[in-house]
Amino acid sequence: MRYLLALMLILSLLVGCVSNRKPAEVLNVNEEVTQCGNMINGGRVLQGSNDKYYYQIYDQQSNTLILMEYSGEDTKPIINGTGFCYFFLDGWVYCAYGPKLAFTRVNVTTGEEDLLLDETCLEAIAYNGKVYFTTTPDSKLYSMDLDGENINQVGNYSLVSNLMVSDGKLYCYMLNEGIYSFNTDGSLDLEFSSDGIQIFYILNDAAYYLHSDGRQLYMYPLRLENAKPILIDDRYIYDLNVRNNELIYIALTAESQAKTFSYNIESGEILCLSNHGYDGIFIANNMIFEYVSNHGIYCIEKDVSFSGSEVTMEK
């Protein structure tokens, strides 16, 4: 599963990288993109309300992950024993929790825990007052109320992944078929047929995606007749996220060294943001975080301090 790849140690060499890019300001938050992108890249950092973030550290003594809250200069533990973090909504963190990594929501103010589903979700996203999620082993799609009530299967679809929302519309990818959009009655419309999509985003009526053949970055116009995929970056890319009009990704250079890049979908400009690329990219409050296995979580653009300038994880 691609979101589990972010938990694996990826050896990256530090190399020089010249960039004249200024640190990003905190702009209006695109909560839809943050929610849908979270499990794509491992579910380690989660955007909360206002200036709050939620992130995980490893506790060696209990051999569990602790969900922490960061606000300004203060950090505090929220819950011990979490797995993946799916999304934040109305004071609740929706996450995998406990030995079974059951789908649970935790109130960040009171600590109240609500078991929503006694099993693990592969992906989950809030959309139109509901939670849409997929489960093992066949990635079927379900919906439930935000409090876990009224669980229903959506259609008879299998091998569903990449749940995302763009311009108020829910999208998904079905293995060996393509990208679909959801109608209000639960039916699907095929937007783009492709059998090799790994990660995708819908921005400005175009699909931006990584293809399994070489993990290269492509763009496909969805509303243009007789359109063909357009190659954007031919390097091997193993992580992809989005912030406003930018695609943020980690790519291997010609020297087989990993770096973090941005692609501006309006200007077509590609910039190097960081002279390293690690195990996962996360966008929270319009800032870029990178996860480093067995080490920490870093903000690569802004001086956001969790513990010093980083979240130090137990080795």
Side-chain angles (χ1 to χ4, degrees):
M1 297 287 179
R2 64 184 180 281
Y3 64 85
L4 292 178
L5 293 177
L7 303 179
M8 300 173 61
L9 178 62
I10 302 175
L11 298 178
S12 302
L13 301 175
L14 298 181
V15 296
C17 172
V18 178
S19 173
N20 58 3
R21 182 178 179 81
K22 295 180 180 180
E25 296 296 328
V26 177
L27 307 174
N28 292 330
V29 172
N30 187 337
E31 294 183 351
E32 294 175 343
V33 170
T34 301
Q35 291 174 14
C36 70
N38 216 49
M39 283 310 296
I40 289 176
N41 293 311
R44 289 289 193 179
V45 178
L46 190 62
Q47 176 182 305
S49 60
N50 300 320
D51 63 344
K52 293 181 180 179
Y53 308 85
Y54 298 93
Y55 62 95
Q56 294 171 320
I57 62 173
Y58 174 66
D59 181 70
Q60 190 174 34
Q61 291 184 342
S62 62
N63 192 31
T64 59
L65 289 170
I66 301 175
L67 181 66
M68 304 289 292
E69 179 185 86
Y70 166 83
S71 178
E73 297 181 354
D74 299 324
T75 60
K76 65 177 182 179
I78 299 298
I79 189 172
N80 191 357
T82 60
F84 318 112
C85 293
Y86 301 110
F87 61 89
F88 172 90
L89 184 65
D90 296 334
W92 296 86
V93 169
Y94 289 72
C95 60
Y97 174 66
K100 296 176 64 175
L101 296 179
F103 190 21
T104 306
R105 69 173 185 172
V106 179
N107 189 292
V108 298
T109 301
T110 66
E112 179 184 355
E113 304 167 17
D114 283 350
L115 178 65
L116 305 178
L117 188 71
D118 195 22
E119 59 181 291
T120 302
C121 292
L122 297 174
E123 298 182 51
I125 182 173
Y127 172 67
N128 200 24
K130 294 277 189 177
V131 179
Y132 288 83
F133 61 96
T134 58
T135 61
T136 57
D138 49 10
S139 300
K140 290 186 176 181
L141 181 64
Y142 296 86
S143 70
M144 66 166 66
D145 296 341
L146 294 173
D147 60 1
E149 297 295 322
N150 299 316
I151 298 176
N152 295 291
Q153 185 173 347
V154 179
N156 191 28
Y157 314 118
S158 298
L159 303 178
V160 176
S161 64
N162 275 90
L163 298 177
M164 70 158 298
V165 174
S166 179
D167 293 328
K169 201 167 188 179
L170 182 64
Y171 293 85
C172 74
Y173 175 68
M174 281 207 231
L175 187 65
N176 300 323
E177 293 188 35
I179 297 173
Y180 287 83
S181 61
F182 284 79
N183 298 309
T184 54
D185 62 0
S187 62
L188 299 180
D189 289 332
L190 180 64
E191 298 284 353
F192 171 42
S193 178
S194 177
D195 61 357
I197 293 177
Q198 297 292 313
I199 302 173
F200 80 90
Y201 293 98
I202 305 296
L203 300 168
N204 296 348
D205 287 332
Y208 295 85
Y209 64 94
L210 300 183
H211 198 275
S212 57
D213 184 14
R215 297 281 294 191
Q216 297 167 329
L217 179 60
Y218 288 86
M219 185 271 280
Y220 180 84
L222 295 177
R223 307 294 176 244
L224 185 64
E225 291 187 11
N226 301 318
K228 294 183 179 181
I230 300 171
L231 179 64
I232 294 175
D233 196 323
D234 63 358
R235 290 172 290 198
Y236 182 90
I237 297 171
Y238 61 85
D239 215 344
L240 180 68
N241 216 311
V242 64
R243 178 182 64 179
N244 298 324
N245 66 339
E246 293 178 303
L247 297 173
I248 312 296
Y249 56 93
I250 298 173
L252 294 180
T253 66
E255 297 80 18
S256 297
Q257 296 172 335
K259 296 182 181 182
T260 302
F261 295 88
S262 70
Y263 170 77
N264 189 299
I265 66 173
E266 295 179 353
S267 68
E269 184 179 18
I270 296 177
L271 294 176
C272 179
L273 301 181
S274 174
N275 62 355
H276 53 76
Y278 291 116
D279 304 335
I281 297 173
F282 313 91
I283 309 298
N285 287 352
N286 277 320
M287 290 185 287
I288 304 171
F289 293 85
E290 289 186 334
Y291 169 65
V292 187
S293 293
N294 301 319
H295 196 294
I297 299 171
Y298 299 81
C299 179
I300 69 173
E301 292 184 307
K302 205 175 182 69
D303 185 19
V304 175
S305 176
F306 291 135
S307 176
S309 62
E310 67 188 53
V311 177
T312 303
M313 302 180 74
E314 298 286 347
K315 296 182 178 179

